[in-house]
Amino acid sequence: MRLFFALWPPLGAAEALCAWARRVHRKTGGSVVRARNIHLTLAFLGEVDEARVPDLKRLPIWGERHALPIERAGYWARNRILWVGPEATPAPAVTLAERLRDLLAAWKFRTERQPFAAHVTLLRKAREPEELPPLPELDWPVQEFVLVRSRLSAEGSRYDVLERFSLA
């Protein structure tokens, strides 16, 4: 199973980000991430044996509730991705991502070890934008994180939440 841990926005925030991405898409082309797929990845595990999923659902991980501000947009030319995120990642999000990755490593799960970079991918295979419209004002309260299964198909990715973990 292809798995990852993520922060999931409220529906209104996801729809606002998707609408913004559709506006940008008119000038950059590429593929807009559907509102229901918008998320911020905390830890990507890749392919995991289904027998290990119960272990992931029992991870003793904790973290603090916080808000995730969406204050800036950027473009990564190397992989042609347009993304949005905070100016400075909230400390509780950094701590959660680090705790999660450390615990996964201790439990012998493979994860990406590059530094955590809080970003939300909104466009893939896009051209670099000359200018961007103002970002929407939105609220993204982080009260939980989720374990997600990713299924790839000709219609695109489909994400299924397997487990929810509440934050204090």
Side-chain angles (χ1 to χ4, degrees), residues 86-118:
E87 287 289 342
T89 304
V94 173
T95 301
L96 177 61
E98 289 173 352
R99 283 180 184 155
L100 186 55
R101 290 177 183 195
D102 290 347
L103 187 56
L104 289 166
W107 285 35
K108 307 291 188 237
F109 285 97
R110 264 192 359 239
T111 62
E112 296 174 338
R113 291 308 300 176
Q114 65 223 30
F116 176 62

Side-chain angles (χ1 to χ4, degrees), residues 10-29:
L11 181 59
E15 288 173 342
L17 290 170
C18 188
W20 181 86
R22 282 193 298 269
R23 285 179 60 202
V24 174
H25 174 259
R26 291 182 203 130
K27 295 182 180 184
T28 64

Side-chain angles (χ1 to χ4, degrees), residues 139-161:
D139 291 318
W140 185 334
V142 178
Q143 301 176 352
E144 67 178 8
F145 67 100
V146 292
L147 172 62
V148 180
R149 179 179 187 177
S150 171
R151 298 175 194 243
L152 305 176
S153 71
E155 293 84 40
S157 297
R158 185 176 122 208
Y159 298 143
D160 301 311
V161 173

